[in-house]
Amino acid sequence: MAEIKDPENTILIELKDGTVAIELLTDVAPGHSARMKELARSGAYDNVAFHRVIDGFMAQTGDVQNANMEKDYNPRAAGTGGSDLPNLKAEFSKIPHDRGTLGAARSANPDSANSQFFINFKDNHFLNGQYTVYGRVIQGMEHVDAIARGEPPANPDRMISVKVAADA
């Protein structure tokens, strides 16, 4: 595991092939970073499917309402829900949507992000200024690259567990 400089603001996502470490950008998007830590600490992200994975674009997950593969999983509804917490205000910045960055998924309303997020497979600069960037993969991007593709994938991968590194 790479050296983690700030365990309180680093997320560890366990995937089938290994651990992905994500450094949260708390100075850029404090609300989104705090939400991810809150949902990770509550266990809400555990067993949640990657419901939308587009080759050469991104892998989307985080629908804690409809995509928990151990509890009430609904592949048709996966991607339509969030958490029981209020939606977040957009926290747009100059941080580009580069390979390995974490973006907040949302509806057409910029202030509708809740629990869903995506990890960019490549630089997707057409998203800049339209979706909040609030983290970046610092280790394990090869595990993200191995996530099953599809909308939805026939056999979706899941986040086995999601933890704040300080708690791991």
Side-chain angles (χ1 to χ4, degrees), residues 98-109:
D98 288 339
R99 172 173 163 75
T101 54
L102 193 74
R106 60 170 177 80
S107 70
N109 177 349

Side-chain angles (χ1 to χ4, degrees), residues 38-129:
E38 181 177 2
L39 291 171
R41 285 191 160 122
S42 73
Y45 281 136
D46 295 353
N47 293 303
V48 172
F50 283 89
H51 64 270
R52 183 171 177 244
V53 186
I54 303 171
D55 200 35
F57 181 31
M58 57 87 216
Q60 186 171 333
T61 184
D63 182 347
V64 301
Q65 184 178 17
N66 301 311
N68 184 323
M69 295 180 73
E70 298 294 318
K71 180 179 76 182
D72 302 326
Y73 177 56
N74 183 343
R76 291 179 202 264
T80 63
S83 72
D84 56 2
L85 300 168
N87 287 345
L88 295 161
K89 289 242 179 249
E91 295 176 296
F92 298 150
S93 70
K94 299 287 186 202
I95 306 287
H97 281 268
D98 288 339
R99 172 173 163 75
T101 54
L102 193 74
R106 60 170 177 80
S107 70
N109 177 349
D111 297 330
S112 63
N114 188 293
S115 63
Q116 291 189 47
F117 62 91
F118 58 90
I119 302 171
N120 288 294
F121 286 132
K122 68 178 192 77
D123 293 354
N124 290 313
H125 293 170
F126 66 94
L127 300 174
N128 293 353

